[in-house]
Amino acid sequence: MATYKFKRPNGEIFEIEMSVFELDEYKKNNPELKQLIYDLNYVTNPGLKNKVPDGFRDVLRNIKENNPGSTINVP
């Protein structure tokens, strides 16, 4: 289930939870509503950006060595 935001013609904004399969039918049955697209709020750790475990690097190196012409970038 996902949560979707909608705006009524009077400006009221509300959220409703439904499956993605129900969404099209809901919008079809409520043409006066405008679906709002918004960013998801999530937390990331900038310190982990672009860091991969050493074991994964070894796997990439092995793939690259065993596949001539491979363009895999091993960080």
Side-chain angles (χ1 to χ4, degrees), residues 2-47:
T3 302
Y4 300 95
K5 279 189 180 183
F6 289 93
K7 184 176 184 179
R8 297 186 198 280
N10 66 4
E12 177 190 1
I13 296 174
F14 67 98
E15 294 182 351
I16 186 167
E17 187 175 297
M18 68 182 84
S19 73
V20 69
F21 301 109
E22 297 170 309
L23 179 61
D24 288 334
E25 187 70 23
Y26 183 79
K27 291 192 309 186
K28 180 179 156 187
N29 293 334
N30 298 281
E32 74 282 1
L33 299 178
K34 179 181 177 187
Q35 183 180 2
L36 301 177
I37 307 299
Y38 58 97
D39 291 334
L40 296 175
N41 293 326
Y42 57 91
V43 177
T44 61
N45 184 343

Side-chain angles (χ1 to χ4, degrees), residues 55-74:
F56 185 67
R57 286 190 190 115
D58 294 338
V59 170
L60 291 177
R61 280 189 203 99
N62 190 16
I63 292 171
K64 189 169 187 161
E65 289 171 7
N66 292 309
N67 293 283
S70 172
T71 59
I72 292 177
N73 182 18
V74 180

